Amino acid sequence: MDQLVIGQTLAFAGDPFVEGPGAARHSTRGAVLIRQGRIAEMGEADTLRAAHPQAAVTDMGSALLSAGFIDAHVHYPQTGIIASWGKRLIDWLNSYTFPEEMRFTDPAYAAEIAERYFDLALAHGTTSMCSYATIHPASVDAFFAAAQARGMRALAGKTCMDRNAPDGLRDTPQSAYDDSRALLERWHGVDRLSYVITPRFSPTSTPEQLMVLGQLWREHPDCLMQTHLSEQTDEIDWVKSLFPQARDYLDTYEAQGLLGEGAVYGHAIHLTARERDRLREAGASLVHCPTSNTFIGSGIFDMAGLVASGLRIGLATDTGGGSSFSMLRTMAAAYELAQLRGTALHPSQLWWLATVGSARALRIEDKVGNLAVGMEADLVALDLGSTPAIAQRSGRAGDLWEALFPTIMMGDDRAVAGVWIGGKRQL
Ligand code: GUN
Ligand code: ZN
């Protein structure tokens, strides 16, 4: 049966970084007609109601209806250690992350955390994500099984590490290749799931491991490849000492065939001019993780400069290096970091990054990330007055952007009034 969801609708007909806020399409009383899991029509509520009298109507009142948020870089296994105090990247990995990831040797623990992670993501209005798992194949199975049960479009891969990680948390070039390939064959393209080839980062992979993963990627070029790039200056120095022949950090990937369209690099804060040029030429994607970058003290991403260079840029929580599951909080952090570089990102740009931008970075923008006819019906409804502090500010707004910005800056899961996955209401 057709469903009609009514509210204030927000969609994008273009890119607000190019066209400004006029790229957005807003209706104060709009509607989305959902048929067989997809958006069949968009329009004014009254018009669609009259045209589809048999449709089941869900009226969300003045709530804002948008495409669900897309978290383009997350570590679901780090759910349990989010907000762990006092460390910088390498120390944080050794103190908190690796001991926690070791626990995923137990498939029951992996399944428990995957369930917890998806419940939290949906509660925050995140309907798709691209996650790292751990080195354990069962951690990938747990993630995809939980996503599949919820009908979600989700991406993930086995995190590969064959050095500089503790005993019990290392694979080998051969096992990384074999396990990644088996998981890819098991999950890639099943329902709404996609496998992502996932070397953690150069410090924890030997050149041999990077090389075999480059080979796997050449054999499966329709998969994405995700990793970390130039997050902290100490990390970059370490990469230099581990790869003395490399021209720069990106070159450690490039030399092994891990640069190209479909490469998705998290962080990418401290880039050289050569790295920027090569990333652009190769058509790679970058993912900005602002709450993580402040939380672990990594640095300030050059949003304005990198957008201007034409790179595909997504937005992400980087849970649990990031300090929040909320893409609203993540947009706020992106706003604040851009301000420190002298750019005030417009609310339309922030919203676009958390939806269309992340979808483009993950090359799924033809399926999710926007409200448009033919797109999969992954929706979020947001209460723009979810707390007294937000309501008193949005109550005096003169336009949509003024009404939305307090929720971007101060909102959290309390703002999420409804979530639909493939047209099925989840909350
Ligand atoms: N670099 C390598 N691994 C990680 C990780 O788990 N989190 C973050 N933030 N950076 C990393
Ligand atoms: Zn990460």
Side-chain angles (χ1 to χ4, degrees):
M1 177 160 69
D2 289 355
Q3 288 183 72
L4 197 60
V5 185
I6 296 174
Q8 294 195 59
T9 49
L10 173 59
F12 291 97
D15 178 347
F17 282 97
V18 177
E19 299 164 34
R25 295 287 174 273
H26 173 236
S27 167
T28 50
R29 190 80 182 144
V32 180
L33 185 81
I34 301 171
R35 181 176 301 149
Q36 291 173 344
R38 289 178 186 271
I39 298 175
E41 280 182 52
M42 298 266 312
E44 293 301 305
D46 290 346
T47 314
L48 286 190
R49 245 187 139 133
H52 300 278
Q54 291 94 350
V57 174
T58 306
D59 191 341
M60 299 304 291
S62 60
L64 184 82
L65 288 179
S66 159
F69 300 130
I70 301 180
D71 189 345
H73 178 126
V74 52
H75 299 256
Y76 96 83
Q78 297 171 14
T79 295
I81 55 138
I82 193 169
S84 292
W85 182 83
K87 304 286 184 186
R88 295 173 65 85
L89 178 60
I90 305 306
D91 216 13
W92 173 85
L93 285 171
N94 288 318
S95 306
Y96 299 119
T97 310
F98 291 161
E100 178 67 10
E101 292 191 7
M102 203 96 81
R103 297 182 66 185
F104 285 68
T105 310
D106 175 8
Y109 188 66
E112 178 191 333
I113 298 296
E115 289 296 314
R116 192 188 302 172
Y117 168 72
F118 278 104
D119 288 349
L120 284 163
L122 284 173
H124 287 84
T126 297
T127 50
S128 282
M129 68 288 295
C130 186
S131 185
Y132 290 63
T134 65
I135 70 150
H136 312 95
S139 72
V140 178
D141 292 331
F143 175 89
F144 280 136
Q148 189 177 39
R150 290 163 174 79
M152 294 173 70
R153 181 161 290 288
L155 306 89
K158 175 196 127 71
T159 298
C160 301
M161 300 197 272
D162 68 342
R163 66 168 163 177
N164 294 319
D167 287 347
L169 212 54
R170 289 189 308 273
D171 49 20
T172 66
Q174 189 65 48
S175 73
Y177 176 89
D178 292 343
D179 289 344
S180 299
R181 196 175 82 168
L183 289 162
L184 188 161
E185 286 169 356
R186 188 175 312 149
W187 292 109
H188 190 59
V190 174
D191 295 341
R192 303 178 71 197
L193 310 174
S194 301
Y195 190 79
V196 185
I197 296 165
T198 307
R200 180 176 217 118
F201 67 156
S202 289
T204 50
S205 287
T206 58
E208 293 72 34
Q209 178 165 82
L210 296 174
M211 186 182 70
V212 297
L213 293 175
Q215 182 189 330
L216 182 63
W217 197 23
R218 275 191 300 281
E219 291 160 4
H220 298 277
D222 61 319
C223 285
L224 299 181
M225 188 288 304
Q226 65 178 346
T227 191
H228 296 85
L229 177 67
S230 296
E231 181 177 1
Q232 290 207 344
T233 51
D234 293 359
E235 171 207 13
I236 296 167
D237 292 343
W238 194 21
V239 169
K240 271 201 188 100
S241 71
L242 290 168
F243 295 84
Q245 293 90 351
R247 288 170 287 185
D248 46 42
Y249 195 157
L250 182 65
D251 197 31
T252 64
Y253 299 127
E254 187 176 355
Q256 306 301 348
L258 295 171
L259 171 65
E261 277 188 18
V264 182
Y265 301 101
H267 303 292
I269 298 168
H270 310 281
L271 298 175
T272 64
R274 191 203 82 88
E275 288 174 313
R276 286 174 176 242
D277 290 347
R278 286 297 297 133
L279 288 163
R280 197 190 51 245
E281 285 163 14
S285 301
L286 304 183
V287 182
H288 179 35
C289 307
T291 72
S292 170
N293 298 161
T294 52
F295 185 73
I296 359 187
S298 300
I300 308 179
F301 184 79
D302 180 15
M303 179 63 79
L306 291 163
V307 163
S309 75
L311 279 156
R312 291 173 179 245
I313 297 176
L315 190 65
T317 62
D318 190 29
T319 300
S323 55
S324 174
F325 292 94
S326 171
M327 289 298 286
L328 293 170
R329 173 75 198 104
T330 302
M331 286 183 238
Y335 178 80
E336 290 165 346
L337 281 179
Q339 282 281 58
L340 290 175
R341 278 197 179 247
T343 301
L345 294 173
H346 190 269
S348 62
Q349 296 171 329
L350 294 165
W351 209 265
W352 185 90
L353 283 169
T355 54
V356 185
S358 282
R360 278 181 78 232
L362 301 175
R363 297 180 183 268
I364 49 175
E365 73 271 27
D366 56 333
K367 300 179 179 71
V368 291
N370 205 351
L371 298 185
V373 172
M375 301 288 274
E376 296 166 355
D378 293 352
L379 272 55
V380 62
L382 293 152
D383 172 1
L384 299 186
S386 60
T387 69
I390 294 172
Q392 61 90 36
R393 179 63 187 91
S394 59
R396 60 165 75 180
D399 64 15
L400 167 70
W401 305 118
E402 267 188 38
L404 188 51
F405 196 55
T407 288
I408 290 176
M409 293 309 299
M410 297 192 283
D412 52 30
D413 49 336
R414 289 169 290 180
V416 177
V419 176
W420 290 257
I421 297 288
K424 291 205 179 74
R425 188 147 186 196
Q426 311 287 311
L427 321 162

